[in-house]
Amino acid sequence: MKDVARVAKVSLSTASLALNGKPGVTQKTKEHIISIAKELNYKPNSSARSLRVSKTKMIGLIIPDIVNNFYGVIVEYVRKEVESYGYFLLLGITGSNSANEEKYINEFITRGVDGVIYIPQLKHSDIRYVEQFDECKIPYLFLTARYEELDVPYVLCDLKKGFYEMTKHLLEQGLTEIYVMVGDKKVDQPYISGFYEACREFGICPDETVIVESSFEFEAIQEVADEIFFKGPQAIMTISDIMACGVMQQARKRGIRIPEELSVTGYDDVIYSIINHIPISTVMQPIKEMCVIAVNNLMNIMKYGIVPPSVILEPKLVLRETTRD
């Protein structure tokens, strides 16, 4: 079937629908796929088909990367929870690349996973390929972030509120020259929205130049930090603890004292925020609770067809030594 899909230049799920006489494929596309199948002498394997319709006891987990400890922690919590239900975890690491994301979706479909927990990539792109899960009737839900274009259940932390609270804390310290480091301005809109909301309440109207994009690679973070330093900020807010670490390492190289000359904040409250040479002020996401709820909700969809309401959990401000008291 993979060969048929490749030659016909369609997705594996489309080939499967056409060859199995399922709806969801136009007549023209169906005829084209069947024609290719005949040319390749495709014959369905009945024993393989019986395996496909049985439960594989596998749950797929799609994550953007494994370098950031935030995702590593999620993998471990999800693994433990999945195994407590008697399932196995299948991991797909996309590298925040849409082609890889589509590849893992196809691979999960091929392997017949029973359900998928999905953390979207960190860059905005055309995500129509995600609809293959619906075509193949594989239940999935989003964890920690989501594609707003898709009406799919999710389990998130209130990212906007966390960033609002941290911005408010900095403004209360009299810091007004604040820059924000994000990964993608469109994807990271909840953080940006929280920042601007707090600023408006203090009568401050920063322009869009204070929102700066960076990849999550350490060298790139340091290069972007240097560009911000040149503008004389009083504070740099970041959307992850690893970003905050990169900013602080570069500040240390430049002889910038933290927090006396520059306040720095992270997000997530993973181990980086504690073991850094100066413990980082950050926003805690309830990672374990999110993972437990996500797995439980997915099991309810898979086993009982019950689609649970989406869940948004509360963040918590964790103030340490990179911001003023």
Side-chain angles (χ1 to χ4, degrees):
M1 193 180 291
K2 280 185 176 180
D3 292 334
V4 173
R6 176 177 53 79
V7 176
K9 297 182 179 179
V10 298
S11 69
L12 185 62
S13 60
T14 300
S16 176
L17 291 171
L19 294 171
N20 287 293
K22 302 290 185 181
V25 183
T26 65
Q27 186 62 30
K28 182 178 179 181
T29 301
K30 183 178 179 180
E31 290 173 358
H32 173 62
I33 292 170
I34 291 173
S35 173
I36 296 295
K38 287 179 179 178
E39 289 178 16
L40 296 177
N41 198 28
Y42 167 81
K43 291 182 176 63
N45 185 313
S46 58
S47 61
R49 179 172 291 178
S50 69
L51 289 173
R52 287 281 295 151
V53 298
S54 66
K55 297 297 182 182
T56 61
K57 304 298 284 186
M58 290 192 298
I59 300 296
L61 173 62
I62 296 177
I63 62 173
D65 70 61
I66 202 69
V67 176
N68 188 340
N69 184 249
F70 175 68
Y71 298 116
V73 171
I74 286 174
V75 170
E76 185 61 9
Y77 282 137
V78 170
R79 179 192 67 78
K80 288 180 179 179
E81 197 65 20
V82 162
E83 289 179 357
S84 75
Y85 283 91
Y87 286 73
F88 298 94
L89 187 66
L90 196 61
L91 187 61
I93 307 170
T94 68
S96 284
N97 180 285
S98 58
N100 286 341
E101 197 167 62
E102 184 174 7
K103 179 184 74 175
Y104 278 112
I105 287 174
N106 281 321
E107 188 64 27
F108 284 175
I109 291 170
T110 302
R111 290 175 180 265
V113 297
D114 296 327
V116 176
I117 294 174
Y118 195 154
I119 303 177
Q121 61 168 321
L122 305 176
K123 295 289 182 181
H124 185 77
S125 67
D126 182 351
I127 43 85
R128 281 177 291 184
Y129 51 81
V130 181
E131 295 172 357
Q132 293 181 82
F133 282 140
D134 295 319
E135 293 173 4
C136 296
K137 300 189 182 336
I138 295 177
Y140 69 105
L141 53 77
F142 289 121
L143 175 62
T144 76
R146 68 187 181 107
Y147 291 131
E148 294 186 357
E149 304 96 310
L150 300 175
D151 184 20
V152 176
Y154 54 83
V155 180
L156 313 178
C157 177
D158 192 338
L159 302 178
K160 177 181 176 180
K161 183 175 181 180
F163 222 74
Y164 164 85
E165 294 291 348
M166 185 61 83
T167 305
K168 182 179 176 182
H169 171 73
L170 295 176
L171 293 170
E172 287 172 345
Q173 310 310 309
L175 306 177
T176 56
E177 297 297 319
I178 303 173
Y179 282 75
V180 177
M181 187 182 292
V182 300
D184 182 290
K185 290 181 181 178
K186 190 165 185 177
V187 173
D188 297 323
Q189 195 56 227
Y191 303 97
I192 297 170
S193 180
F195 168 73
Y196 279 121
E197 183 174 320
C199 287
R200 283 194 297 270
E201 289 185 8
F202 279 75
I204 300 169
C205 299
D207 60 37
E208 61 182 19
T209 61
V210 303
I211 311 296
V212 183
E213 290 183 331
S214 170
S215 77
F216 287 82
E217 295 178 0
F218 214 68
E219 289 184 1
I221 295 168
Q222 292 178 313
E223 289 174 4
V224 173
D226 256 343
E227 295 172 8
I228 299 175
F229 294 159
F230 182 75
K231 300 173 183 178
Q234 295 175 308
I236 298 177
M237 301 179 68
T238 71
I239 64 164
S240 78
D241 295 329
I242 195 169
M243 272 187 168
C245 286
V247 171
M248 293 174 64
Q249 290 292 341
Q250 199 63 10
R252 194 178 186 181
K253 291 178 184 177
R254 302 299 179 219
I256 300 172
R257 294 177 301 150
I258 296 174
E260 294 84 359
E261 297 176 297
L262 177 71
S263 290
V264 179
T265 68
Y267 211 104
D268 298 333
D269 195 32
V270 292
I271 195 166
Y272 302 124
S273 64
I274 302 169
I275 66 173
N276 195 63
H277 67 284
I278 305 176
I280 301 170
S281 292
T282 187
V283 179
M284 185 194 76
Q285 294 200 59
I287 302 174
K288 182 177 181 179
E289 186 179 358
M290 287 194 292
C291 293
V292 169
I293 293 172
V295 174
N296 182 66
N297 285 359
L298 183 63
M299 292 296 168
N300 280 330
I301 300 172
M302 287 164 36
K303 293 183 176 182
Y304 311 113
I306 300 172
V307 180
S310 294
V311 177
I312 301 179
L313 299 177
E314 289 289 302
K316 180 182 177 182
L317 222 57
V318 182
L319 301 177
R320 297 192 176 102
E321 298 175 28
T322 60
T323 53
R324 303 173 189 175
D325 295 329

